[in-house]
């Protein structure tokens, strides 16, 4: 498996993000469950796509620069049929490495209360619960985490 840095508008990246949004819509029953501004090419510092040995895109993730050496993990997603293959830890490690190389000190993220699988993954990956930050501070369903790099 390899992790590629891609442009936001990369077709594989766009397809994976669409899959992530569809899954979130199904879990929360609304297409508009994201607090705050959705990520875009204008505010994502880096976006990655995980590819299996045949080059098929199986997962993605990106980082938004929050300033002061802090980044936010955005649009982490692995195709349901590819979960458990190691794609998610590799994507997250690549994002953390990218952030460290730029002198960022920590990464934050938000997930929702209907995503216990994500909570388990981030906790296993060394992320600790924190109070809501930014647009998530006033959202009861938001669960926020942080990892010092």
């Amino acid at each position: 498996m390899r992790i590629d840095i891609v442009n936001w508008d990369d077709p594989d990246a766009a397809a994976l993000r669409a899959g992530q949004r569809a899954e979130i819509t199904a879990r929360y029953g609304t297409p508009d469950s994201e607090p705050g501004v959705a990520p875009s090419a204008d505010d994502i510092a880096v976006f990655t796509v995980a590819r299996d040995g045949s080059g098929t895109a199986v997962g993605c993730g990106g980082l938004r620069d929050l300033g002061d050496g802090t980044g936010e993990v955005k649009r982490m997603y692995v195709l349901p049929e590819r979960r458990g293959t190691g794609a998610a830890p590799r994507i997250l490690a690549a994002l953390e490495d990218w952030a460290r190389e730029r002198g960022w000190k920590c990464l934050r993220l938000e997930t929702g209360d209907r995503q216990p699988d994500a909570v388990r993954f981030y906790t296993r990956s060394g992320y600790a619960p924190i109070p809501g930050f930014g647009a998530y501070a006033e959202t009861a369903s938001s669960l926020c985490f942080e990892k010092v790099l």
Side-chain angles (χ1 to χ4, degrees):
M1 184 165 305
R2 73 176 198 261
I3 308 298
D4 295 330
I5 294 176
V6 300
N7 290 327
W8 179 259
D9 61 356
D10 174 89
D12 289 332
L16 289 162
R17 288 193 310 272
Q20 187 261 356
R21 295 313 301 157
E23 184 172 323
I24 296 301
T25 296
R27 286 190 190 210
Y28 291 90
T30 177
D32 188 27
S33 64
E34 182 170 14
V37 178
S40 70
D42 294 333
D43 71 351
I44 291 296
V46 65
F47 202 80
T48 62
V49 169
R51 299 182 192 282
D52 66 14
S54 68
T56 301
V58 300
C60 64
L63 293 177
R64 175 185 276 165
D65 187 350
L66 297 178
D68 295 324
T70 301
E72 180 182 5
V73 178
K74 297 299 294 179
R75 295 300 188 258
M76 276 287 296
Y77 179 71
V78 173
L79 295 171
E81 65 272 17
R82 293 315 207 40
R83 292 178 187 165
T85 65
R90 287 185 176 102
I91 294 166
L92 191 57
L95 293 173
E96 291 170 354
D97 289 346
W98 187 93
R100 277 188 202 94
E101 289 169 5
R102 280 141 189 89
W104 292 11
K105 302 299 180 202
C106 73
L107 291 180
R108 292 180 177 167
L109 62 93
E110 181 268 351
T111 192
D113 60 1
R114 295 185 187 176
Q115 295 166 263
D117 45 344
V119 171
R120 283 190 304 274
F121 169 70
Y122 290 121
T123 301
R124 275 194 323 261
S125 300
Y127 286 75
I130 61 170
F133 64 94
Y136 316 116
E138 302 299 322
T139 305
S141 63
S142 287
L143 304 173
C144 296
F145 296 83
E146 179 178 270
K147 181 176 182 178
V148 176
L149 299 176

